[in-house]
C-alpha cells in the first residue's frame, strides 16, 4: 500500500505523473501520504494481523551479528556503489524540486540511468543495456500506449468519458464532485483488482481529462487524478493479478517453496482493498468536498 505514495515507485503513478502536467512529485506526497501513512497502512496491518493471527507464533528474535552479515554480503565495488548512490540521490532531489524546474520526471530518471551506466560500466555499455534493462516491460508500455491511442482515435475513450460525464452532470451541481470522486475511485478499485492496474490507468487518463473538459467548473483535474490514483493503486491489492508487484512476489515466494494461489491472496487482499478504498473515499470527500 505504502509504495504508491511517490510518483516514481508505483507504475500507475508513473503513468499519471508523466501524463498530467498539473501534478508533480511533491503533489503526490502532499495529497496522498496523509491518508496512506496515517490511516490506510495501519488499518491494513491490523486486518492482516486479525486474519493471520491463528497462524502466528511468538519466538524470540535471533541476535543479528553485524560483522557476520558484512562477511556474508560484502560490498564488492565501493566506487561504483558511491556513483550509483550519488546519482540516485540527485535524481530524487530533482523529483522534489519539480515545482521549480518543471521538467518531466521521466527525463530526469532516464538521464540518471544513462549517467550511472556511463560512469559505472563505461567499457561495456552494451552488456548493461542488454542484461540489466527491463526491455520486456518497456516494450509492454510502448505497445500499451499505442493500443490506448488507437482506442482514443476510434472514439472509445471519448464515449466512456461522455457516459461518465452525463451521469455526473445529471446530478445536482453541488453533488457532482462527490459523485465523480466516488465513481472514479470505486470503479478504478474494482476494475484494477481483476485486471492489471497499469493498462487500466493508461486507459482512464484520457477519460479523466475528458471529464474535466466537460465540467471544468465542478470537476478539478487534480481531484480526479487523486481519485484515479487511489482507486487504481489500492485496487491492485485486491487479487494476485491486480498488480505486477503481486505476481513478482508470488513468483519469488514460489521459488523459496511457498506457493501463493489466487484464492490464498484473494481473501486478505480483497478485504484490505475494500476497507482501504472506503478510507480513501472518505478522506477525499473530507479534504476536497466537505472542507
Amino acid at each position: 500500500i505504502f509504495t504508491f505514495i511517490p510518483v516514481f515507485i508505483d507504475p500507475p503513478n508513473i503513468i499519471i505523473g508523466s501524463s498530467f502536467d498539473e501534478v508533480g512529485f511533491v503533489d503526490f506526497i502532499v495529497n496522498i501520504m496523509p491518508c496512506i501513512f496515517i490511516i490506510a497502512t495501519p488499518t491494513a496491518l491490523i486486518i492482516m494481523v486479525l486474519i493471520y493471527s491463528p497462524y502466528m507464533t511468538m519466538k524470540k528474535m535471533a541476535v543479528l551479528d553485524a560483522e557476520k552479515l558484512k562477511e556474508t554480503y560484502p560490498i564488492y565495488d565501493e566506487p561504483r556503489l558511491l556513483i550509483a548512490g550519488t546519482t540516485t540521490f540527485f535524481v530524487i532531489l530533482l523529483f522534489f524540486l519539480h515545482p521549480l524546474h518543471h521538467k518531466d520526471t521521466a527525463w530526469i530518471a532516464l538521464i540518471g540511468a544513462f549517467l550511472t551506466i556511463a560512469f559505472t560500466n563505461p567499457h561495456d555499455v552494451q552488456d548493461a543495456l542488454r542484461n540489466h534493462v527491463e526491455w520486456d516491460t518497456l516494450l509492454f508500455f510502448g505497445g500499451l500506449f499505442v493500443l490506448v491511442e488507437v482506442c482514443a482515435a476510434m472514439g472509445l475513450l471519448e464515449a466512456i468519458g461522455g457516459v461518465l460525464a452525463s451521469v455526473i452532470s445529471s446530478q445536482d451541481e453541488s453533488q457532482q464532485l462527490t459523485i465523480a470522486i466516488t465513481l472514479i475511485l470505486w470503479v478504478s478499485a474494482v476494475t484494477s483488482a481483476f485486471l492489471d492496474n497499469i493498462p487500466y490507468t493508461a486507459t482512464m487518463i484520457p477519460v479523466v481529462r475528458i471529464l474535466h473538459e466537460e465540467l471544468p467548473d465542478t470537476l478539478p483535474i487534480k481531484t480526479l487524478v487523486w481519485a484515479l490514483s487511489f482507486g487504481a493503486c489500492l485496487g491492485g491489492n485486491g487479487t494476485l493479478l491486480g498488480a505486477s508487484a503481486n505476481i513478482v512476489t508470488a513468483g519469488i515466494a514460489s521459488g523459496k517453496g511457498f506457493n501463493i494461489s489466487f484464492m490464498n491472496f484473494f481473501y486478505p487482499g480483497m478485504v484490505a482493498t475494500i476497507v482501504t478504498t472506503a478510507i480513501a473515499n472518505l478522506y477525499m470527500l473530507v479534504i476536497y468536498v466537505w472542507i
Side-chain angles (χ1 to χ4, degrees):
I1 293 175
F2 189 75
T3 56
F4 83 87
I5 293 174
V7 65
F8 61 89
I9 292 182
D10 207 35
N13 280 351
I14 295 175
I15 297 173
I16 292 172
S18 61
S19 300
F20 293 97
D21 295 332
E22 295 86 352
V23 298
F25 177 83
V26 178
D27 293 322
F28 275 88
I29 295 179
V30 171
N31 289 274
I32 293 179
M33 180 175 284
C35 176
I36 298 302
F37 186 74
I38 299 175
I39 307 173
T41 300
T43 303
L45 180 60
I46 293 172
I47 292 172
M48 294 299 106
V49 170
L50 292 175
I51 291 176
Y52 290 106
S53 57
Y55 308 98
M56 292 182 178
T57 57
M58 300 298 293
K59 293 182 179 179
K60 186 178 181 180
M61 185 176 178
V63 178
L64 298 178
D65 188 343
E67 295 301 324
K68 187 176 181 180
L69 289 175
K70 291 180 181 179
E71 294 176 0
T72 306
Y73 306 101
I75 298 175
Y76 294 102
D77 198 332
E78 291 188 2
R80 290 186 178 184
L81 176 62
L82 180 61
I83 292 172
T86 303
T87 305
T88 303
F89 170 78
F90 280 105
V91 167
I92 295 176
L93 179 62
L94 288 173
F95 284 162
F96 276 100
L97 296 177
H98 180 268
L100 299 179
H101 56 69
H102 300 289
K103 302 299 182 183
D104 196 334
T105 53
W107 283 109
I108 296 173
L110 190 62
I111 292 172
F114 275 112
L115 288 175
T116 303
I117 293 174
F119 285 100
T120 59
N121 204 12
H123 302 295
D124 197 2
V125 176
Q126 290 183 348
D127 175 71
L129 293 175
R130 183 171 56 250
N131 298 321
H132 301 288
V133 176
E134 297 288 341
W135 291 109
D136 52 346
T137 303
L138 295 178
L139 291 173
F140 167 76
F141 276 116
L144 175 64
F145 292 144
V146 171
L147 179 61
V148 171
E149 188 61 29
V150 170
C151 292
M154 294 175 62
L156 176 61
L157 300 183
E158 188 174 353
I160 296 174
V163 171
L164 291 176
S166 64
V167 171
I168 296 170
S169 60
S170 64
Q171 308 298 319
D172 184 79
E173 187 171 327
S174 61
Q175 298 296 321
Q176 288 180 355
L177 184 57
T178 301
I179 299 298
I181 290 174
T182 305
L183 192 62
I184 292 176
L185 193 118
W186 281 100
V187 168
S188 299
V190 173
T191 306
S192 296
F194 296 95
L195 300 175
D196 194 284
N197 57 9
I198 296 175
Y200 172 79
T201 303
T203 304
M204 280 297 294
I205 282 173
V207 175
V208 167
R209 197 172 291 281
I210 291 170
L211 283 173
H212 170 67
E213 292 171 354
E214 291 281 342
L215 300 167
D217 297 329
T218 56
L219 302 182
I221 186 67
K222 285 189 176 182
T223 305
L224 301 182
V225 167
W226 305 140
L228 175 61
S229 177
F230 272 119
C233 295
L234 291 175
N237 299 323
T239 69
L240 191 60
L241 305 176
S244 301
N246 301 346
I247 299 174
V248 172
T249 301
I252 295 174
S254 179
K256 300 294 183 180
F258 301 96
N259 293 321
I260 302 177
S261 66
F262 181 87
M263 293 308 299
N264 290 145
F265 194 99
F266 180 81
Y267 172 53
M270 189 56 66
V271 172
T273 292
I274 293 173
V275 174
T276 53
T277 302
I279 290 172
N281 194 358
L282 180 61
Y283 167 82
M284 288 201 67
L285 293 179
V286 170
I287 298 298
Y288 302 108
V289 180
W290 298 337
I291 294 182

